[in-house]
Amino acid sequence: MKQGFLSHHCCCGKGVYTRHIITIEHDGQLLSVVPFSTESAHTIFCDELLLVVTPGFDKHTAQFLISIRQEYASNKAQRITDLIMRNEIYRNHHAAVGTQCHVYAMSHIDNTTLLPIDIERVALRRIF
């Protein structure tokens, strides 16, 4: 069975998507990233920023957060999505359609400005 995830913003592959549904097959294969049009019984809404990454990312979550915090400290005007897209750990593990993936929710991000609400409290939680 397919599972969908909808969020205000999502980093997937080489792009940042706004109000898109990420659809994943039960075995973890990323099927699609499409604009939201209608609600579906198999779609979960997440109020956090989503990251769609390869399973190998799991081993690097702590280092990823450290590097994001360090980069943000040097320029507090940067949106979190810009930091993610430039991050080497993310670039080495971003998932593409047709590949196996995991989905992480990143908390404590303002959905309007995409700035951290509190950089020290920014956290990742694997949701798929």
Side-chain angles (χ1 to χ4, degrees):
M1 177 177 294
K2 299 174 190 176
Q3 179 67 59
F5 296 93
L6 171 64
S7 180
H8 299 286
H9 303 283
C10 174
C11 294
C12 182
K14 296 181 181 181
V16 176
Y17 299 92
T18 301
R19 291 180 294 283
H20 278 60
I21 294 178
I22 293 93
T23 305
I24 301 171
E25 188 59 69
H26 72 280
D27 65 357
Q29 181 179 339
L30 178 60
L31 297 176
S32 64
V33 180
V34 297
F36 172 76
S37 59
T38 59
E39 290 188 36
S40 163
H42 299 291
T43 300
I44 297 170
F45 177 75
C46 299
D47 198 30
E48 300 153 310
L49 172 68
L50 298 182
L51 280 74
V52 183
V53 292
T54 62
F57 181 82
D58 295 357
K59 296 182 277 186
H60 303 283
T61 57
Q63 185 57 42
F64 171 78
L65 286 173
I66 290 168
S67 63
I68 290 291
R69 288 181 182 120
Q70 288 172 342
E71 185 69 23
Y72 181 74
S74 68
N75 182 352
K76 295 183 184 208
Q78 295 182 85
R79 296 180 308 168
I80 198 76
T81 50
D82 295 334
L83 296 173
I84 292 167
M85 298 309 288
R86 287 195 313 268
N87 184 277
E88 184 178 346
I89 295 169
Y90 174 80
R91 285 194 326 247
N92 289 336
H93 294 93
H94 65 263
V97 171
T99 63
Q100 295 295 308
C101 70
H102 289 169
V103 179
Y104 281 85
M106 183 179 259
S107 62
H108 296 86
I109 307 298
D110 183 287
N111 288 325
T112 303
T113 64
L114 291 173
L115 294 173
I117 296 167
D118 178 352
I119 193 64
E120 293 306 316
R121 294 186 65 202
V122 169
L124 289 174
R125 174 177 56 96
R126 188 170 140 196
I127 58 175
F128 185 93

